[in-house]
């Protein structure tokens, strides 16, 4: 059962936390960390049961990602990003899943989805070229999802623009080392990938609009509610879950360190009402973020399972709240970080790594509040969303 995955994560938790330092130094997840994640089964939660997955409720996926990130932010981030990809594969032509998991059900798939390449139509498919940064966990993946603009035959995007999600095997792209030198989430190994004229058969592609609206699955005969959820609800889920889990882990470390800390005034921190007030408030804010994020994806799941359409207003509400969850949790982390004492800045203090990881996670485009809040306000007024806002809702 899916809940067993979280139990295994907690069992491996102390080791995951110990390995976090090594992951940061390596600039990618260590092989030992990856072995623990594979053993726990986190990245198979959204994978079809036919290929050894759990086809779990997205709530279970979010809770597992949070559990990992609570011990190691980078490992949680990779679980949140890479763990969504089996969900999308399940919506595609069945040949894709067979190619990926037919021989190894623990095969991982990287991304990113930003349309940084041009896919020129050719007989039977497309020829793709481009360069994509931020491919999290890519060293441990054998396939990659990439976003691409359909070309006009002359190396330029067609008009009007059309965006595809395409999937390629490891032999068709190059990982560029030394492209991940960052201040946080260093252990994610989110390196650049390059594709130079790779052929992609049509069946390994899916239209972004169709997967965003939850329509791709139906076209391939997939009926489970899980695989008919909107991409714009599912993709942000893993990323925000990682950020909330990071903040939960930071709170754990803060409380453990403050328990016996003596301030420069000679007063034990446990007797300082101001520090304790901040810790209590932060705990409430982080807990509220967890609850609201899970509530949003659960509501969408229930609507889809009941055969009800998910309106633009409802999708925009889920996105608005998802963004706010991340900002609320990181703001709470800032409050306790500022009251953790001077030793918090030392490299061997785990709290500073959680703090850096959380802020880098907050910088992901899926957490930019402007467009999400703007779109939700228009939707609540019953007004039409312009195309540039609809694409993220």
């Amino acid at each position: 059962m899916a809940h067993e995955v979280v139990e295994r994560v907690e069992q491996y938790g102390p080791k995951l936390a110990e390995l976090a330092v090594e992951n940061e130094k390596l600039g990618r997840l260590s092989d030992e960390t990856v072995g623990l994640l594979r053993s726990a089964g986190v990245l198979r939660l959204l994978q079809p049961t036919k290929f050894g997955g759990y086809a779990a409720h997205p709530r279970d996926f979010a809770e597992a990602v949070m559990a990992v990130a609570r011990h190691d932010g980078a490992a949680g981030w990779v679980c949140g990003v890479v763990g969504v990809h089996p969900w999308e594969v399940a919506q595609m032509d069945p040949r894709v899943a067979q190619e990926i998991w037919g021989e190894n059900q623990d095969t991982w798939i990287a991304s990113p989805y930003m349309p940084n390449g041009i896919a020129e139509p050719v007989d039977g498919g497309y020829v793709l070229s481009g360069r994509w940064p931020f491919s999290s966990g890519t060293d441990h993946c054998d396939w990659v999802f990439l976003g691409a603009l359909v070309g006009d035959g002359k190396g330029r995007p067609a008009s009007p623009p059309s965006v595809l999600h395409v999937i390629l095997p490891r032999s068709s792209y190059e990982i560029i080392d030394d492209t991940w030198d960052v201040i946080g989430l260093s252990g994610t190994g989110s390196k650049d990938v390059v594709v130079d004229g790779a052929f992609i058969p049509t069946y390994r592609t899916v239209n972004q609009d169709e997967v965003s609206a939850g329509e791709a699955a139906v076209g391939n005969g997939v009926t489970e509610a899980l695989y008919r959820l909107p991409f714009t609800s599912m993709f942000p889920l893993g990323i925000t879950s990682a950020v909330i889990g990071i903040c939960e882990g930071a709170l754990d470390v803060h409380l453990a360190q403050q328990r016996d800390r003596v301030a420069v005034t000679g007063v034990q921190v446990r007797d300082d009402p101001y520090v304790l007030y901040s810790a209590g408030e932060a705990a409430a804010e982080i807990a509220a973020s967890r609850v609201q994020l899970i509530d949003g994806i659960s509501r969408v799941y229930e609507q889809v399972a009941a055969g009800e359409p998910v309106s633009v207003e409802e999708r925009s509400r889920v996105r608005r709240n998802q963004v706010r969850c991340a900002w609320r949790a990181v703001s709470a982390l800032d409050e306790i970080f500022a009251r953790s004492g001077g030793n918090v800045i030392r490299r061997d203090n785990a709290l500073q790594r959680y703090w850096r990881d959380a802020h880098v996670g907050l910088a992901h485009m899926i957490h930019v509040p402007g467009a999400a809040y703007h779109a939700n306000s228009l939707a609540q007024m019953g007004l039409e969303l312009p195309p540039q806002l609809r694409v993220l809702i």
Side-chain angles (χ1 to χ4, degrees):
M1 298 297 292
H3 70 272
E4 295 173 352
V5 173
V6 175
E7 292 176 0
R8 286 193 289 270
V9 170
E10 294 304 338
Q11 177 187 341
Y12 302 150
K15 189 61 179 179
L16 287 169
E18 178 187 327
L19 291 166
V21 176
E22 178 185 355
N23 294 337
E24 183 163 59
K25 290 178 180 177
L26 287 172
R28 61 171 176 81
L29 295 186
S30 66
D31 292 343
E32 190 171 2
T33 295
V34 170
L36 292 173
L37 298 178
R38 291 189 193 280
S39 179
V42 180
L43 283 90
R44 286 188 285 114
L45 277 167
L46 301 180
Q47 198 161 306
T49 55
K50 179 181 178 181
F51 293 100
Y54 293 89
H57 193 293
R59 172 192 60 238
D60 297 323
F61 172 66
E63 290 178 341
V65 171
M66 292 179 196
V68 175
R70 192 165 188 157
H71 300 291
D72 177 9
W77 184 270
V78 170
C79 288
V81 174
V82 177
V84 170
H85 299 149
W87 169 83
E88 183 167 359
V89 168
Q91 303 172 51
M92 299 179 70
D93 187 298
R95 285 175 286 182
V96 178
Q98 184 61 41
E99 288 175 335
I100 295 172
W101 296 310
E103 295 183 4
N104 181 6
Q105 296 179 344
D106 270 322
T107 299
W108 289 5
I109 308 152
S111 55
Y113 289 104
M114 63 185 74
N116 274 27
I118 302 293
E120 291 287 3
V122 295
D123 211 18
Y126 301 86
V127 172
L128 178 70
S129 295
R131 180 167 181 153
W132 293 258
F134 307 119
S135 184
S136 296
T138 197
D139 288 299
H140 301 285
C141 297
D142 294 312
W143 290 74
V144 67
F145 264 120
L146 298 172
L149 289 161
V150 175
D152 66 354
K154 300 178 182 178
R156 298 186 299 265
S159 183
S162 177
V163 179
L164 298 175
H165 291 177
V166 303
I167 191 163
L168 297 81
R170 183 68 184 81
S171 58
S172 296
Y173 62 95
E174 179 184 3
I175 298 170
I176 308 299
D177 288 321
D178 301 322
T179 53
W180 189 241
D181 183 11
V182 291
I183 62 170
L185 292 175
S186 299
T188 63
S190 302
K191 302 173 183 178
D192 292 13
V193 297
V194 172
V195 178
D196 185 13
F199 172 72
I200 306 166
T202 303
Y203 73 87
R204 289 190 194 153
T205 72
V206 62
N207 183 277
Q208 178 174 273
D209 290 341
E210 292 180 4
V211 75
S212 293
E215 297 170 354
V218 176
N220 284 302
V222 179
T223 59
E224 296 97 323
L226 171 64
Y227 302 118
R228 292 186 287 114
L229 295 173
F231 177 85
T232 47
S233 298
M234 285 295 292
F235 177 64
L237 178 67
I239 294 172
T240 304
S241 295
V243 169
I244 292 172
I246 290 168
C247 294
E248 291 177 333
L251 179 63
D252 291 342
V253 172
H254 171 77
L255 293 172
Q257 292 180 354
Q258 301 312 303
R259 181 182 175 88
D260 297 313
R261 185 168 76 88
V262 177
V264 69
T265 60
V267 175
Q268 280 195 309
V269 170
R270 68 175 71 174
D271 297 322
D272 185 332
Y274 305 107
V275 174
L276 298 188
Y277 177 96
S278 297
E281 183 177 54
E285 290 297 282
I286 294 168
S289 295
R290 166 186 276 262
V291 170
Q292 191 173 37
L293 182 71
I294 291 174
D295 174 72
I297 196 63
S298 296
R299 287 167 62 90
V300 172
Y301 181 90
E302 289 165 6
Q303 283 184 253
V304 172
E308 300 172 2
V310 183
S311 67
V312 171
E313 182 177 355
E314 179 64 20
R315 284 160 54 181
S316 74
R317 183 181 300 114
V318 170
R319 276 281 285 127
R320 176 201 68 193
N321 290 348
Q322 165 258 318
V323 171
R324 186 61 198 149
C325 288
W327 281 84
R328 182 194 299 115
V330 176
S331 294
L333 170 53
D334 285 342
E335 290 297 317
I336 58 175
F337 186 84
R339 291 165 177 81
S340 292
N343 284 320
V344 75
I345 65 173
R346 298 186 185 279
R347 286 281 186 181
D348 62 357
N349 189 317
L351 188 52
Q352 54 79 29
R353 186 182 64 253
Y354 280 107
W355 185 77
R356 290 185 287 107
D357 287 351
H359 279 275
V360 170
L362 197 61
H364 191 284
M365 58 82 61
I366 213 68
H367 290 139
V368 175
Y373 293 174
H374 182 178
N376 178 248
S377 294
L378 291 177
Q380 289 185 93
M381 295 175 186
L383 299 174
E384 186 73 18
L385 271 59
Q388 69 270 24
L389 293 182
R390 290 184 67 94
V391 71
L392 294 173
I393 299 302

